[in-house]
Amino acid sequence: MDDRSLRMPSDDEIAAINTQHLIETPLRPADLLFVFGTRTDVAERVDAAVDLWRGGFARCAIVSGGITPGDHRSECAIIKAAMVARGVTSERILEEHRAQNTGENVVFSLPVIDAVLGLANVRSVICLGNSWTARRYPMTLHRHWPEVEKMLVTVDGFAIPRAQWHTVPEFRRRVLIEWDKIEPYKARGFIAEWPVG
């Protein structure tokens, strides 16, 4: 069986991924920081969340993620505890403990956000997640919550410039897996085109 994630992408595919998938957005203070759960690079995720908090980029956060295999704690519990230990106000971090994938992160978090903040009161969100998943976070959010403005911050533990992802086999594998999900996920209605316009 051909594992497409192990391919060496062409120069054209590398350029397309760099410009269309591994995007960066301008940042400004947002109403909500949406921290997507993870099993990898947790320290980098927490560092970025704390930096955004301290920088005044979010007045409230939600951390979403279910039980991590091999651990009795949810991704949410692990990440929130680390954020609080670094000085983020516990009461300002909403919690979602069931999600097992990006779609569930969003679907399960929306009622939590609505109950505490009111979805209509949230006009802007910063999505925080893995670099290789990149725009799929805001694309998933856009599918379920199109009205809110979305910004994107991504992190990883690879010590190379982001545009050189294809030079490290594991980084390349992760990026290609996520890149290859975009069109099928759009076709199945899991995600929506973003950015728009």
Side-chain angles (χ1 to χ4, degrees):
M1 181 175 143
D2 179 31
D3 186 347
R4 283 184 45 79
S5 70
L6 300 179
R7 71 188 183 275
M8 177 54 74
S10 67
D11 289 345
D12 286 346
E13 189 175 24
I14 291 167
I17 290 170
N18 284 344
T19 58
Q20 298 171 31
H21 186 63
L22 302 178
I23 63 174
E24 296 180 3
T25 63
L27 274 186
R28 63 176 188 77
D31 295 323
L32 181 68
L33 172 62
F34 198 126
V35 183
F36 287 80
T38 187
R39 296 172 179 86
T40 57
D41 297 339
V42 172
E44 289 81 2
R45 184 82 45 102
V46 170
D47 287 346
V50 171
D51 288 347
L52 289 164
W53 183 272
R54 289 181 180 159
F57 284 96
R59 58 189 176 97
C60 191
I62 185 162
V63 180
S64 172
I67 298 292
T68 301
D71 197 321
H72 67 281
R73 299 167 298 167
S74 68
E75 292 171 348
C76 173
I78 293 166
I79 294 169
K80 178 176 178 175
M83 289 172 64
V84 171
R86 299 270 307 276
V88 179
T89 306
S90 178
E91 294 76 23
R92 302 302 295 166
I93 305 174
L94 310 181
E95 303 176 24
E96 187 291 303
H97 294 274
R98 297 183 299 143
Q100 297 296 312
N101 57 55
T102 308
E104 289 182 354
N105 287 138
V106 172
V107 170
F108 294 165
S109 292
L110 289 179
V112 176
I113 297 165
D114 196 29
V116 178
L117 303 175
L119 292 178
N121 297 319
V122 180
R123 294 182 179 86
S124 56
V125 174
I126 296 172
C127 300
L128 173 59
N130 297 319
S131 63
W132 52 88
T133 307
R135 69 177 173 142
R136 196 160 62 78
Y137 296 115
M139 291 179 84
T140 306
L141 195 61
H142 196 64
R143 161 66 179 81
H144 299 281
W145 197 8
E147 303 83 8
V148 74
E149 177 191 357
K150 297 147 196 86
M151 293 167 273
L152 176 62
V153 173
T154 61
V155 296
D156 60 64
F158 296 104
I160 61 166
R162 189 74 42 85
Q164 297 300 311
W165 59 270
H166 57 282
T167 65
V168 177
E170 180 58 18
F171 202 178
R172 180 171 65 239
R173 186 187 71 81
R174 292 182 192 184
V175 169
L176 292 175
I177 286 171
E178 294 299 331
W179 171 249
D180 288 343
K181 290 178 181 178
I182 297 293
E183 292 307 318
Y185 278 22
K186 281 167 57 177
R188 295 171 71 181
F190 295 164
I191 60 178
E193 190 58 56
W194 180 92
V196 179

